[in-house]
Amino acid sequence: VYKSALHTINMGLKNFALSFGIFIVFVLFISYAIQAFYPAPEYKNFCNETHFFPKTPVLAETSVKCIPNPILDKKTEECYKSEGSPYYEYDSNNCPISVNCDFCSKDFQEAEKKYSSKLFIITIIVGIITIGIGALLFSIESIGAGLIAGGVGSIVYGSARNWQNLSSYTKVILLFIALIFLIYIGIRMNKKLK
């Protein structure tokens, strides 16, 4: 009896380790495959950082004080209101003489939002398919459980990347659908085992 119980515990630990390994490797595989074949937009491709850190003349100590310029102040305020980033050009006294508005950050954020939405759809589809395959292979418990966990991990990964873009209602609906789907898979798998 003792040897039988010990054998069962060892098999349980081996199955758990294999399931956990499949889960971790699957989630890593999905995240790196997405990075390789569908890379995220990069900030440097949208924004030229030299606008924000322009080279300004180095001055010896001087008593020159820049005169406030209400026109530049108004343009700066308008730039911020339109979600841009102001950058300035300076004269030889290191006083701002003009302001330009750069929308690269806004463009980057819009590209990131579109990317996250598409990534969300991809990971949901991959996750559902993987959970389905795991449910079909659940007769080989460690592999089926690992694939189901990997599918759930894929859905969580995509949801986390896109979570800030979803409304509260959408979040609740998606979580409810995921919960119902997982309960359904659990019921079907337990019926097969009995």
Side-chain angles (χ1 to χ4, degrees), residues 11 14 17 27 48 60 76 80 87 93 103 142-145 177 189:
M11 287 305 293
K14 289 177 186 176
V27 171
N48 178 357
T76 300
Y80 282 126
Y87 65 96
N93 292 321
F103 294 97
S142 58
I143 294 173
I177 290 170
M189 286 187 326

Side-chain angles (χ1 to χ4, degrees), residues 106-124:
K106 184 178 178 182
D107 295 341
F108 171 71
Q109 289 172 350
E110 287 174 9
E112 179 71 22
K113 187 175 181 178
K114 286 179 187 175
Y115 172 82
S116 294
S117 296
K118 289 178 183 175
L119 178 76
F120 176 69
I121 292 167
I122 292 167
T123 56
I124 291 288

Side-chain angles (χ1 to χ4, degrees), residues 72-86:
L72 290 182
D73 293 343
K74 185 176 180 178
K75 286 183 178 181
T76 300
E77 186 178 324
E78 288 171 358
C79 181
Y80 282 126
K81 283 182 180 177
S82 53
E83 299 179 30
S85 299

Side-chain angles (χ1 to χ4, degrees), residues 56-69:
T56 56
V58 177
L59 298 174
E61 286 188 33
T62 178
S63 60
V64 174
K65 292 193 177 186
C66 299
I67 300 169
N69 187 330

Side-chain angles (χ1 to χ4, degrees), residues 74-157:
K74 185 176 180 178
K75 286 183 178 181
T76 300
E77 186 178 324
E78 288 171 358
C79 181
Y80 282 126
K81 283 182 180 177
S82 53
E83 299 179 30
S85 299
Y87 65 96
Y88 302 90
E89 293 179 26
Y90 298 89
D91 65 13
S92 60
N93 292 321
N94 206 20
C95 294
I97 55 172
S98 70
V99 62
N100 296 300
C101 194
D102 194 333
F103 294 97
C104 70
S105 291
K106 184 178 178 182
D107 295 341
F108 171 71
Q109 289 172 350
E110 287 174 9
E112 179 71 22
K113 187 175 181 178
K114 286 179 187 175
Y115 172 82
S116 294
S117 296
K118 289 178 183 175
L119 178 76
F120 176 69
I121 292 167
I122 292 167
T123 56
I124 291 288
I125 292 169
V126 168
I128 289 171
I129 290 170
T130 306
I131 290 170
I133 292 170
L136 291 173
L137 294 176
F138 204 72
S139 59
I140 308 170
E141 191 175 320
S142 58
I143 294 173
L147 287 174
I148 290 170
V152 170
S154 173
I155 292 170
V156 169
Y157 172 73

